[in-house]
Amino acid sequence: MDRTQPKGLPTRVPVGTMGDGGTTYSGVNPNAVWLNSRGIWLSYVIAVTILHLVLLSIPFLNVAQAWTLTNVVHNIGNYIFLHMLKGTPWETNWDQGKSRLLTHWEQIDFGEQFTTTRKFLFLAPVILFILASFYTKYDPLHFIINLSTMLLVLIPKLPQLHGVRIFGINKY
Amino acid sequence: MNCSNVGRKSPQDYESAPFLAACWTYISLAILIMFGYLRDFLRRIGLDKNQSATERNKMKGFVPLYASFEGFFSRNIFKRAIHGAGKPICSPPTVEVDVLERTSDDENWHFRLTGKKRRCINLASYNYLGFAEKDGPCVHATAQALQQYGVGVCSSRQELGNYNIHEELETTTARFLGVEDAITFGMGFATNSMNIPVLMGGKGCLILSDEKNHASIVLGARLGGSVIQVFKHNDMDDLEEKLRDAIISGRPGTHRAWRKILIIVEGIYSMEGSIVKLLDVIRLKRKYGAYLYLDEAHSIGALGETGRGVTEYWGVNPRDVDIMMGTFTKGFGAAGGYIAGSKRLINHLRTYSHSTTYACSMSAPVAQQVISSMRIIMGEDGTEIGKLRIAQLAANAKYFRRRLRDMGFVVCGDDDSPVVPFLVCVPGRILAVMEELFERNIACVTGTFPATSITKGRARVCISAAHTQQMLDKALDAISEVGDRLQLKYSL
């Protein structure tokens, strides 16, 4: 058995490499597979680009501040939706509440680590950090802000922190 | 024997959501979710009235009964579209149906009837052979059975609820399907959920179930406690790979051999419209020594030259399928389900099924309806009605599908299946399709995420043998108009 899989995994071994298996009526948690769907990665990139363009068009922000803000807003959104909110926004009457205690990140691909979706979501903050560092000309204050938000969002994604709740925060 | 289907690549291998529509679906859902959060916030601070279920004030300190996050989609997204679902009807579900109109004064939380009726062309009911009628030989026989037996049965099969009409129904079903014996139950869903645990209970059982199997099969498989593996929809290579892996590695943990392996597939999948590749499944089953459970809920009566279902469609001997299951709700216009197979299997089920022990048996008039419709299909009533209806259904289905495809819609499923779903993808458009078609007096069913995959929201049409050419043309014109208005013709 794979050691990185957490306990309490359903006996139903899933499909859905393209996010097409995830429907509530099939008893598979759509949260685990919808990020594998067609076009989702491109949409993610487009959404971040639109966010950045909106921030760039605010008149009193210069380029460096816009990039740092893009990075920070993206990372905070990433943290809230992937690591803070637990459970599913729909009813899961087939799994007896097992996914209610798991964050979205832990539900992806049913807990299997190192899948392509997880790698993509891990790389996105890194790439944004590199771009932000470049466009802020490696200014120290911006660097500290960008680095800390990037760490905030990368550390929960490590497989060692799967299911870990530090000081019991966000446990139930 | 329908050899022309062998080896032909089915259309379902090609259809998928167009790329831009998929992106637009994600953006729509993101906007809907953002507004959902806003509305939840307004409800929390009291600016908006909270109409969803909450505990009473006395229970606030206890463990919460209602998980508010789990109701997010239901509260904020489905509520906007729920006026399209569950419309009350007040006539039998024949080709035209009277739908009662209703309005809501508080954004779909509560409805009231306006008193108006709307006569719609019925593209939503599973009335494949047109047996859901108010008049005709079936109805007369059913009325007679009603007068003879009454309505209620007041007992289970194993106690005093085993009528002679049930026995007649079972022999007729077995004769219809060409197998040794059959057993019938009062409810189609319960046929799966109550009997799969009986057949596959205990340790060491493996169920290989198709991705898009119905909720009743999923529930039955889970209730039995066997290990479940899911293979990609109608993908025979994936099924073979999973079979090989299962046999080679054995049971999880001990790696001993499995006691039994059961492959569960459906004849026609109700949300996809695809037909199972039965020849390949039987070849794999024979090669690897697994059993086959075939759920013909939608395909019995609707496929095949004489309406015998998907086994006749592919030219397969019904005795090759170990457990044949089906429902009487769709093709026969009644209610209930059956399981058919060898005498040993059926005798086992007669003793051990939860349904026969604890559940009430089928009502007598309903059983009579099944018997009459089956005899009509088989031609035993002396008329050609059955043959004509089957041919009409096949022609209608092919015609409708071809016209929809020619118009530019992305249509899912196989050419011969009477279930015709076409992709709509974007959530807003799914609701709009439902509303616009209703305005044009067409009733059809739609499905969105998470009931379907995230990019494959669809509208589904069920063709009936009773649909006339004019009705189908009228429906197609309306769908084409709606498709132009909402830009649904993705293939063009």
Side-chain angles (χ1 to χ4, degrees), chain B residues 422-426 430 447-449 452-459:
Chain B
F422 56 94
L423 287 187
V424 181
C425 302
V426 184
I430 295 173
T448 178
F449 181 72
T452 65
S453 322
I454 189 169
T455 54
K456 294 207 182 162
R458 64 197 61 189

Side-chain angles (χ1 to χ4, degrees), chain B residues 235-256:
Chain B
D235 187 343
M236 296 299 124
D237 296 322
D238 195 41
L239 173 61
E240 177 158 23
E241 199 185 307
K242 295 229 155 53
L243 268 169
R244 290 177 73 93
D245 283 345
I247 295 177
I248 291 171
S249 41
R251 282 144 77 160
T254 56
H255 295 293
R256 288 205 248 150

Side-chain angles (χ1 to χ4, degrees), chain B residues 109-426:
Chain B
W109 284 96
H110 302 98
F111 289 106
R112 61 183 168 79
L113 299 173
T114 59
K116 285 206 291 232
K117 275 197 295 201
R118 188 184 277 262
R119 191 154 190 86
C120 298
I121 295 180
N122 190 355
L123 297 179
S125 298
Y126 307 127
N127 184 18
Y128 298 129
L129 288 176
F131 281 114
E133 49 203 359
K134 260 201 299 203
D135 209 358
C138 284
V139 177
H140 290 311
T142 308
Q144 259 187 319
L146 181 64
Q147 295 203 324
Q148 190 182 347
Y149 296 102
V151 179
V153 190
C154 303
S155 191
S156 65
R157 288 295 292 278
Q158 285 185 3
E159 293 170 9
L160 208 58
N162 191 19
Y163 286 21
N164 53 357
I165 203 170
H166 293 133
E167 311 253 318
E168 188 190 343
L169 173 60
E170 287 173 0
T171 44
T172 315
T173 309
R175 198 170 68 242
F176 180 78
L177 294 168
V179 288
E180 283 180 13
D181 202 359
I183 179 175
T184 57
F185 307 96
M187 182 176 161
F189 186 103
T191 307
N192 272 333
S193 57
M194 294 293 108
N195 291 308
I196 296 180
V198 172
L199 296 169
M200 294 298 278
K203 290 195 179 305
C205 300
L206 172 67
I207 292 182
L208 284 158
S209 124
D210 185 290
E211 205 185 347
K212 309 275 183 190
N213 270 343
H214 191 247
S216 56
I217 298 176
V218 175
L219 179 61
R222 280 171 187 262
L223 279 176
S226 37
V227 176
I228 308 167
Q229 294 242 353
V230 170
F231 62 93
K232 294 202 187 95
H233 179 55
N234 241 351
D235 187 343
M236 296 299 124
D237 296 322
D238 195 41
L239 173 61
E240 177 158 23
E241 199 185 307
K242 295 229 155 53
L243 268 169
R244 290 177 73 93
D245 283 345
I247 295 177
I248 291 171
S249 41
R251 282 144 77 160
T254 56
H255 295 293
R256 288 205 248 150
W258 294 98
R259 268 179 51 220
K260 45 189 160 171
I261 300 180
L262 181 68
I263 305 171
I264 306 185
V265 291
E266 290 190 31
I268 291 182
Y269 292 87
S270 62
M271 260 316 195
E272 312 294 314
S274 46
I275 301 176
V276 67
K277 294 180 182 152
L278 192 60
L279 291 171
D280 291 314
V281 176
I282 295 206
R283 177 181 56 85
L284 288 174
K285 157 191 123 74
R286 282 213 195 109
K287 186 174 175 190
Y288 294 101
Y291 294 110
L292 176 60
Y293 185 106
L294 177 65
D295 178 342
E296 291 207 77
H298 287 268
S299 53
I300 192 75
L303 282 183
E305 296 247 324
T306 58
R308 300 305 207 263
V310 76
T311 47
E312 188 186 13
Y313 177 77
W314 286 109
V316 162
N317 186 350
R319 296 186 191 225
D320 278 339
V321 178
D322 303 294
I323 307 159
M324 294 180 75
M325 178 263 169
T327 59
F328 299 126
T329 338
K330 285 99 186 177
F332 303 100
Y338 66 85
I339 291 190
S342 65
K343 262 202 178 340
R344 279 188 64 197
L345 167 75
I346 302 300
N347 283 341
H348 178 84
L349 282 177
R350 281 196 215 283
T351 322
Y352 287 101
S353 167
H354 299 294
S355 227
T356 51
T357 324
Y358 301 113
C360 256
S361 38
M362 203 191 271
S363 178
V366 175
Q368 181 59 49
Q369 160 77 16
V370 184
I371 295 173
S372 340
S373 55
M374 238 182 225
R375 299 189 67 209
I376 290 179
I377 297 176
M378 288 197 278
E380 284 178 8
D381 62 330
T383 65
E384 295 269 302
I385 298 179
K387 242 208 249 179
L388 286 170
R389 285 191 186 196
I390 295 169
Q392 185 69 38
L393 174 65
N396 281 353
K398 275 209 170 72
Y399 174 71
F400 200 87
R401 230 176 237 284
R402 185 178 54 79
R403 283 283 309 269
L404 267 189
R405 272 223 179 87
D406 291 340
M407 280 183 205
F409 289 94
V410 179
V411 182
C412 313
D414 288 307
D415 281 339
D416 298 307
S417 99
V419 177
V420 187
F422 56 94
L423 287 187
V424 181
C425 302
V426 184

Side-chain angles (χ1 to χ4, degrees), chain A residues 11 20-21 24 37-38 85 89, chain B residues 17 26 70 73 211-212 450 453-454:
Chain A
T11 50
D20 283 356
T24 43
S37 317
R38 225 169 150 242
L85 290 177
Chain B
Y26 302 131
E70 285 204 340
F73 258 65
E211 205 185 347
K212 309 275 183 190
S453 322
I454 189 169

Side-chain angles (χ1 to χ4, degrees), chain A residues 31-114:
Chain A
N31 245 356
V33 291
W34 74 271
L35 284 166
N36 298 334
S37 317
R38 225 169 150 242
I40 190 75
W41 294 1
L42 181 66
S43 305
Y44 187 96
V45 171
I46 290 175
V48 175
T49 312
I50 291 178
L51 166 70
H52 181 60
L53 291 174
V54 164
L55 286 172
L56 269 180
S57 23
I58 299 177
F60 50 83
L61 291 176
N62 61 19
V63 172
Q65 288 167 343
W67 272 103
T68 304
L69 261 180
T70 309
N71 195 16
V72 167
V73 169
H74 164 265
N75 287 344
I76 290 180
N78 203 326
Y79 182 76
I80 291 177
F81 286 109
L82 286 182
H83 302 288
M84 214 167 82
L85 290 177
K86 292 197 301 294
T88 55
W90 44 72
E91 309 240 317
T92 53
N93 15 24
W94 59 84
D95 73 344
Q96 296 179 320
K98 284 191 191 110
S99 38
R100 207 179 286 175
L101 296 176
L102 298 175
T103 61
H104 189 9
W105 176 256
E106 288 159 1
Q107 288 172 30
I108 291 178
D109 288 326
F110 307 95
E112 193 190 329
Q113 300 293 333
F114 308 117

